[in-house]
Amino acid sequence: MSNPNKKSVLMDLSDAGGSNENQRTISVVWLCLGALLLFAAGLYAFLSISGQGEITETSLEQSKGAQSVEPAVSLASEVVAAPLSVETAVAEAQAESSDLSESLESKSVNDASEMVPLMQVGQAQGRHVAEVDTATHLSEIEAITEQIAAELASTTSDHAIEALAFQLEEARALNSDQSSILMLETAYAQALSKQGIESIRRDFARLDKLAQEHAMQNYATLEWRQYLEQVEHAEGLATEAGPYAMLKAYRQAYELGKQFEQVSLKNLSALAQRAMSQSEPARAVELYQKLRLLDSDNAEALSYLHQHAYAAGERVHVAPFGIRMRMVPAGNYTIGTPELEFQRDADEYLHSVTLTRAYYIAETELTQGQWMAVMGELPQQMRNDASARGDTLPVHSVTWTEAVNFCEQLSAHSDSMQYRLPSEAEWEIACRANQQAAYNTGSNQLSLQQANVFDPQSPRNHDQALPVASYQPNDWGLYDMHGNVWEWCHDWLADYSQLGPVDPMNVEGGNAADENLRTKVLRGGSYYDEAPLSRSGNRWSYAPSVATQYIGFRIASTAQF
């Protein structure tokens, strides 16, 4: 039978008093708090070790426990880390891909501080980093550099960039691993950016030189200031900004530079036209010459300069081997002869022509000495004739083809000028020197004291060619335009009506239906001919294969500004 007064052990414990029960409760609470503190400390250690995605030696040393680096790396590989810095990611990718980097020639990724934002490259041990889209930036960089190269007419070929582009294309085609492709994209983007920036810097140097030497900034002051400020901003960007950001800043400067040029061109043109309207041609020439420093092919400026830059005969050009030439300006001229001129032919009728380009024409007929300096031996026909030899005598017995060949050989000795025979219109304009009389002396008669021609009434004929410049020049400084030797022109003989009024030159063929009967124009007469054949407007011609003692030539060249 049970004893009602006897209590179980549990009952005894529960009845032991309220203080014991409270003590147990407090202990449990402390145990829970301790467990929470330990969990928090562990979590803090874990976060310290992970370093928000970067595992470093410092974080490992500060973490509790005797964990080695390898377990830490293994643990970190199980979580997706936050993005690495561009510098760190690219540097690590370079270390992992040294073989690839060596194949990128001189344009390989050497400076991580200049990388554009790109998809970060993870470690081979399994670490993953967040990807940043680089395709958009790379395509923009390509578009910007292509625009700059096209507008600045850059023809420089960078073999390293070509090599990078080829490797990138191959890597994409072969579906290479992402880290290799990203390394190539990085290097390619960096090289393209550098090339674009260098082109813009060269363009700035060009404009800055114009400002320093020609005060070009005075014609668009506000635009120039904005341009300089943007250039300074681009130059001031730290390399850590990355090549993409730097390229965009330089491209903005480049666009402001173009705006400066456009406003300058507009203002220079307006000022030049004002000078023209105020009858200040010298001022207009100065302004148009400045305008052409910005736009060398500007049609408005070229047209004015070809007409007004220099007076006829004022400017002298010295061709290779000392051949002196005088400039004849572009403009409107009258050639041909009036109906009542003595011994005039019907095909010489008066008409107006327009030359759109100034040209140079030799002061004298080409001498034998000048021919020898270029060609090395005399023309074929002269080699068979020992008469009329001398360095200062005009070269003679030369065919039209030989004369053209000489011009081509002379041009080969010049960096910029192309020499040729004058057109028939150019020859007559130069001969007349604005004189409408039969001869450039201003008279309708010509004496043996004025030119080496034949006078049947005089015993004083020379009956041979004389040294060039033996007589007075015309008003433009040109010698022997009448007499001495006939001079080849470039044209085939044709009626003036077939040539047109602007820059007339017949290069396609002559009047004769049979090409064997077509002839090239000769002008100026010779010592063998009477004066009327040497008239300024007289026209003569021979087959281009003809070579006689009476035929020579003088050279011409289109003027350049």
Side-chain angles (χ1 to χ4, degrees):
M1 172 173 192
S2 63
N3 185 356
N5 296 320
K6 189 176 180 178
K7 297 179 180 179
S8 69
V9 175
L10 293 178
M11 289 179 66
D12 289 339
L13 290 174
S14 63
D15 292 337
S19 61
N20 290 336
E21 182 66 23
N22 291 338
Q23 288 176 357
R24 284 195 298 269
T25 301
I26 291 171
S27 298
V28 171
V29 170
W30 279 108
L31 286 173
C32 291
L33 289 174
L36 286 173
L37 288 173
L38 288 174
F39 177 78
L43 178 61
Y44 176 80
F46 172 75
L47 292 175
S48 299
I49 291 174
S50 65
Q52 295 183 347
E54 292 189 74
I55 299 178
T56 63
E57 293 181 1
T58 302
S59 65
L60 289 173
E61 290 174 355
Q62 291 178 347
S63 64
K64 289 184 179 182
Q67 290 180 330
S68 65
V69 175
E70 291 183 358
V73 173
S74 176
L75 179 62
S77 68
E78 296 176 3
V79 297
V80 178
L84 289 175
S85 68
V86 173
E87 292 82 359
T88 303
V90 174
E92 291 178 351
Q94 287 177 307
E96 293 265 340
S97 309
S98 59
D99 292 340
L100 176 62
S101 299
E102 291 174 359
S103 71
L104 300 183
E105 301 183 5
S106 62
K107 296 294 184 182
S108 61
V109 182
N110 293 321
D111 187 358
S113 67
E114 293 189 4
M115 290 300 135
V116 294
L118 47 83
M119 297 169 64
Q120 310 294 348
V121 182
Q123 289 278 23
Q125 289 90 336
R127 183 188 309 169
H128 301 286
V129 292
E131 295 182 344
V132 180
D133 184 12
T134 183
T136 301
H137 288 169
L138 182 55
S139 62
E140 287 185 58
I141 289 172
E142 288 177 319
I144 292 172
T145 53
E146 286 176 5
Q147 173 204 353
I148 292 169
E151 293 184 2
L152 296 181
S154 175
T155 57
T156 304
S157 177
D158 191 316
H159 298 301
I161 290 179
E162 292 178 359
L164 283 168
F166 174 78
Q167 292 177 78
L168 179 58
E169 182 180 354
E170 289 292 300
R172 288 169 173 170
L174 296 174
N175 293 321
S176 299
D177 62 279
Q178 191 64 24
S179 63
S180 297
I181 292 177
L182 291 174
M183 278 294 298
L184 286 167
E185 289 178 336
T186 300
Y188 183 48
Q190 180 185 15
L192 281 177
S193 299
K194 180 180 179 182
Q195 184 185 57
I197 290 171
E198 288 176 350
S199 295
I200 295 172
R201 282 174 171 166
R202 285 193 296 269
D203 191 57
F204 169 72
R206 174 183 66 87
L207 291 178
D208 187 56
K209 184 177 180 181
L210 290 177
Q212 296 294 330
E213 297 181 359
H214 303 281
M216 198 67 71
Q217 71 276 16
N218 293 341
Y219 301 99
T221 304
L222 177 61
E223 288 76 13
W224 178 255
R225 180 177 299 175
Q226 293 173 338
Y227 177 47
L228 286 185
E229 289 175 353
Q230 183 60 29
V231 170
E232 290 173 0
H233 167 69
E235 291 284 356
L237 286 178
T239 55
E240 286 77 9
Y244 173 61
M246 294 180 70
L247 179 61
K248 287 203 302 181
Y250 273 102
R251 200 268 290 271
Q252 186 175 354
Y254 169 69
E255 295 296 335
L256 289 173
K258 290 198 301 182
Q259 184 177 352
F260 161 73
E261 289 191 79
Q262 292 167 358
V263 174
S264 297
L265 287 170
K266 178 181 177 181
N267 291 341
L268 282 165
S269 176
L271 289 169
Q273 291 177 28
R274 177 189 297 177
M276 292 165 54
S277 67
Q278 296 175 348
S279 299
E280 298 178 354
R283 175 62 175 158
V285 166
E286 178 188 357
L287 291 166
Y288 276 129
Q289 287 174 332
K290 282 192 174 184
L291 188 152
R292 289 195 63 247
L293 295 173
L294 295 172
D295 181 8
S296 60
D297 296 325
N298 185 275
E300 176 187 333
L302 280 172
S303 177
Y304 191 84
L305 292 173
H306 273 276
Q307 293 185 62
H308 304 286
Y310 301 98
E314 175 186 359
R315 183 168 177 81
V316 174
H317 165 71
V318 181
F321 304 100
I323 303 174
R324 290 173 58 85
M325 308 178 74
R326 299 270 181 172
M327 179 183 286
V328 178
N332 299 319
Y333 295 94
T334 298
I335 62 174
T337 61
E339 293 183 1
L340 298 179
E341 186 168 296
F342 181 64
Q343 293 195 5
R344 171 190 185 267
D345 294 319
D347 64 349
E348 300 174 12
Y349 56 86
L350 283 173
H351 63 288
S352 296
V353 296
T354 299
L355 301 184
T356 61
R357 293 290 183 264
Y359 64 99
Y360 290 102
I361 191 165
E363 288 183 350
T364 69
E365 296 153 334
L366 189 78
T367 67
Q368 295 175 31
Q370 292 164 343
W371 175 281
M372 288 293 293
V374 176
M375 307 301 288
E377 59 181 359
L378 293 171
Q380 182 66 44
Q381 287 293 95
M382 281 195 69
R383 298 175 213 165
N384 302 326
D385 184 358
S387 64
R389 297 284 186 91
D391 286 347
T392 61
L393 290 172
V395 68
H396 60 82
S397 302
V398 57
T399 67
W400 181 90
T401 302
E402 288 174 323
V404 169
N405 186 41
F406 173 88
C407 293
E408 293 173 350
Q409 294 299 316
L410 183 65
S411 299
H413 291 279
S414 174
D415 293 332
S416 59
M417 300 290 284
Q418 294 296 308
Y419 301 99
R420 55 179 174 79
L421 296 176
S423 71
E424 184 180 18
E426 288 173 338
W427 191 97
E428 183 170 335
I429 290 167
C431 175
R432 287 187 177 280
N434 282 338
Q435 294 289 343
Q436 294 305 309
Y439 304 99
N440 60 30
T441 60
S443 172
N444 289 322
Q445 294 183 342
L446 190 67
S447 70
L448 294 179
Q449 287 72 41
Q450 296 171 312
N452 186 18
V453 294
F454 179 76
D455 183 354
Q457 306 299 322
S458 174
R460 299 177 182 178
N461 293 297
H462 296 287
D463 294 326
Q464 64 179 12
L466 295 178
V468 299
S470 294
Y471 298 89
Q472 290 298 309
N474 69 7
D475 290 345
W476 292 353
L478 306 176
Y479 297 86
D480 303 315
M481 300 300 286
H482 301 303
N484 219 25
V485 292
W486 288 96
E487 299 178 17
W488 286 116
C489 293
H490 191 83
D491 307 54
W492 294 96
L493 181 65
D495 190 84
Y496 284 143
S497 62
Q498 299 179 17
L499 303 181
V502 179
D503 296 324
M505 179 185 289
N506 184 16
V507 297
E508 297 181 355
N511 287 333
D514 186 346
E515 63 180 16
N516 295 319
L517 299 178
R518 294 173 183 173
T519 55
K520 289 289 187 177
V521 172
L522 285 165
R523 285 298 196 114
S526 75
Y527 68 86
Y528 185 78
D529 302 293
E530 296 182 26
L533 290 179
S534 69
R535 290 175 300 110
S536 300
N538 182 59
R539 310 180 73 197
W540 206 259
S541 66
Y542 270 132
S545 58
V546 169
T548 74
Q549 288 184 335
Y550 322 122
I551 298 178
F553 68 98
R554 73 178 68 215
I555 64 171
S557 180
T558 303
Q560 298 181 4
F561 290 91

